[in-house]
Every structure is written in structure tokens, then in C-alpha cells.
Amino acid sequence: MDTSTVADGSSFLSLFAALSYGIASMAMVFINKAIIMQYAHSMSLLTLQQLATTLLIHFGRQMGYTRAKGVDITTARRLLPISLFYNANVAFALASLKGVNIPMYIAIKRLTPLAVLIAGFFSGKGKPTTQVTLSVVLTAVGVVVAAIGDFSFDLPGYTMALTSVFFQTMYLVLVEKSGAEEGLSSIEIMFYNSFLSLPFLLFLIIATGEFPNSLALLLAKSNSFSFLFILLLSLVMGIALNYTMFLCTIVNSALTTTIVGVLKGVGSTTLGFVLLGGVQVHGLNVTGLVINTAGGVWYSYAKYQQKKIKAPKVVMDLEAHRR
């Protein structure tokens, strides 16, 4: 195959993965907020999303729509930490939306690049550049300033959002490693993640007593078309977000996934002030969000410039894979 054709194909796939993840991630924030406002049982919601993902991929494989392989015990053991970190991330993120408004939620999640860089530094990836360091510091300063001016400050919500950042960092790094070393497709990782999470999630919703109440509320709202529509939309978008996130991380990198998350947050922050309510505008809060957003954009630009000066490896990797 011609080298330029391989390069064009890989570039298109990289762009598609990044754009699709950005769109799905941006939409999912508002959908989750909307469903949590009506259905506060976040763990049960996550269980439904993972169950829907598992069944969709399973029947898709049975009907020949996907070439994903069946369950392999050895692979499942290797991917178990990914599943645990991912579901912990989503669980804490969903729970934080109960008390944190969307702009502040996005601002806190922008701390993920800082966490990813710290994790990379301690795992031997080297020291980040000055621009990258300053940009993530600026992002963190923006969060602090915005939090001081947040009249709706909710300590449990902030704590859960920060905990979500930690778990998101861990699963992003692990997904990148598993995709590179084990050669699993994004659909296969998504299936293992959903399948392995179900026993863990079922245990939690039963142990915490959420299950009977969540089922009762679900049945009580089953005659509401608007609720069922939002619930169905959350299930579908949950699957789409999982797929595009794993695809973006494997095709590009964990760092690219976090950069896309930062950039989509610019639009989400703006829309968050006018959609779904819950925001009390204050000058200090807005100033902090602007600083946070500027740090995120600066960080993305710094990583883009850093990547430009490195020798491209995508074509070489693809050619080696085809031999």
C-alpha cells in the first residue's frame, strides 16, 4: 500500500475519532444533567447504560455486525482494572452533577490534563515543557478562583468531581496501554469494560439500598414520555461516548483524549450558563471560568506545537502492523 494513502487514512481516522468523541462528550454532559434532575439514582443509571452496552455488542457479534471476539478469561483479568477505574470515574461524575452546575463541573474536569501529566511524569514519560506546565497551572488557578465565586458551592459535589478526575486519569492511561500492548479494538475494550462492570455495579446498588428505590422510581416515571425519551437518549449516548472515547484513546493517545475534552468544554461552559439552570452568575466565578478556559486552550495549543516537532510515527506503526 502507498505510504501517502496510509498516512491520509490514519489522519482521517484520528480526526474522526477526536471529533466524534468531542461531540458525544459535550452532548453527554447535558443529557446526564437532565436525567439526574429527574432520576437521582446515578449508580442505577450507570448500571442500565453498561447493561445496554453489553447486550448491544453481544447481539451485534451474534448477528455478525461486529468482529469482536468472545470473552477470554486472560484478557478479562488484564482489563479488570480498566473497568473498575472507568466505572468509578463515571459514578463519581454522575453523582457530582447532583450538586455542581455544568460550568463548574467542566472546569473541574479540565484538571484531568494536569493529572495525566503528573501520572506520566511518575511513570517515566519525562518532564513536560514550560508552556504545558504553565497552562495546567493556569487551569488549576481558574478552578480555585471560580470555586471562590461559586454561590452554589457544594462540597460533596466538588469532592466527587475531583475524585472523578483521579479515576479518569487512571483509566485513560490504562486504556492507552492495553490498546497498544494487547491489540484490542475499541469495541472489544468497550465490551469487556461493560461486561466486567456489571457484577461490581449490581453489588453496589444492592448494598447501598439504591436498587429497590431506583426500580420503584423508574416504574413510577414509566408513563412519562419525556422521561423515557431522555432515559433512552442517555443509554444510546452512553454507548456512543464509550465507543468514541476508547477509539480516540487508542487511535490517538490518552493525552489527545484529554485535549479534546478541554476544547469541547469551551462550548459546554457557555451553554451551561443558559441550559438546565443551576448557575448563579458572579463576577469572580465568571473570571475563574475564563481563566480556566484560557488555560485549557493554551494547554491544547502547547501540546499541538509539541507534537508538530516530533517525528511522525503513525505511518511506520501502520506499515509494521500490516507486515
Side-chain angles (χ1 to χ4, degrees):
M1 181 178 289
D2 186 76
T3 302
S4 62
T5 303
V6 175
D8 291 341
S10 62
S11 298
F12 173 78
L13 181 59
S14 298
L15 180 62
F16 170 78
L19 285 177
S20 58
Y21 168 65
I23 294 172
S25 180
M26 182 174 178
M28 197 61 188
V29 173
F30 292 94
I31 294 172
N32 279 337
K33 181 69 174 180
I35 190 68
I36 286 297
M37 290 172 66
Q38 298 189 51
Y39 189 75
H41 301 292
S42 56
M43 294 296 294
S44 297
L45 177 62
L46 178 57
T47 304
L48 289 174
Q49 291 176 344
Q50 298 295 56
L51 178 61
T53 301
T54 301
L55 293 177
L56 180 65
I57 297 177
H58 172 71
F59 287 115
R61 183 174 63 242
Q62 294 294 322
M63 299 173 66
Y65 289 113
T66 176
R67 297 180 180 178
K69 300 177 183 178
V71 177
D72 176 75
I73 300 300
T74 303
T75 303
R77 288 176 179 173
R78 289 199 296 264
L79 294 181
L80 182 59
I82 290 178
S83 177
L84 295 179
F85 282 125
Y86 170 81
N87 285 280
N89 160 50
V90 178
F92 278 101
L94 285 172
S96 69
L97 284 172
K98 298 177 185 178
V100 179
N101 59 62
I102 289 179
M104 280 308 306
Y105 167 81
I106 294 170
I108 295 173
K109 294 294 282 185
R110 284 201 189 105
L111 295 176
T112 302
L114 172 61
V116 169
L117 288 178
I118 293 175
F121 176 77
F122 283 105
S123 63
K125 286 191 175 183
K127 184 180 179 180
T129 64
T130 302
Q131 280 205 62
V132 169
T133 302
L134 292 176
S135 64
V136 295
V137 169
L138 184 65
T139 302
V141 170
V143 171
V144 174
V145 174
I148 295 174
D150 185 11
F151 284 163
S152 61
F153 180 84
D154 183 82
L155 182 58
Y158 272 67
T159 302
M160 286 184 284
L162 289 171
T163 306
S164 172
V165 169
F166 167 77
F167 285 118
Q168 183 180 17
T169 301
M170 296 305 297
Y171 90 75
L172 280 175
V173 174
L174 287 174
V175 163
E176 184 178 13
K177 181 179 179 181
S178 67
E181 295 183 355
E182 300 174 32
L184 296 172
S185 69
S186 55
I187 291 181
E188 287 171 335
I189 292 182
M190 185 168 66
F191 174 75
Y192 277 106
N193 172 70
S194 302
F195 175 74
L196 293 172
S197 70
L198 289 176
F200 174 71
L201 290 173
L202 287 172
F203 170 78
L204 284 181
I205 62 176
I206 293 174
T208 59
E210 181 177 308
F211 172 64
N213 296 328
S214 62
L215 180 60
L217 181 60
L218 185 64
L219 293 175
K221 287 181 170 291
S222 61
N223 59 348
S224 172
F225 175 78
S226 61
F227 170 76
L228 292 178
F229 174 77
I230 296 176
L231 178 62
L232 179 61
L233 188 61
S234 73
L235 297 180
V236 173
M237 287 304 300
I239 296 173
L241 177 60
N242 286 344
Y243 175 75
T244 56
M245 176 188 61
F246 288 126
L247 180 65
C248 183
T249 303
I250 291 174
V251 172
N252 297 299
S253 66
L255 194 55
T256 301
T257 303
T258 60
I259 290 175
V260 173
V262 168
L263 294 179
K264 63 87 182 174
V266 177
S268 299
T269 300
T270 304
L271 292 174
F273 278 102
V274 296
L275 296 179
L276 301 180
V279 182
Q280 300 180 42
V281 180
H282 183 275
L284 197 59
N285 181 246
V286 174
T287 301
L289 291 174
V290 171
I291 294 174
N292 176 267
T293 302
V297 173
W298 184 13
Y299 167 79
S300 301
Y301 175 77
K303 294 306 297 182
Y304 173 74
Q305 291 296 322
Q306 182 179 335
K307 189 174 183 179
K308 281 181 63 178
I309 64 176
K310 292 182 179 180
K313 298 181 180 179
V314 177
V315 174
M316 295 174 58
D317 291 342
L318 286 174
E319 287 295 318
H321 177 71
R322 292 178 182 278
R323 290 194 182 104

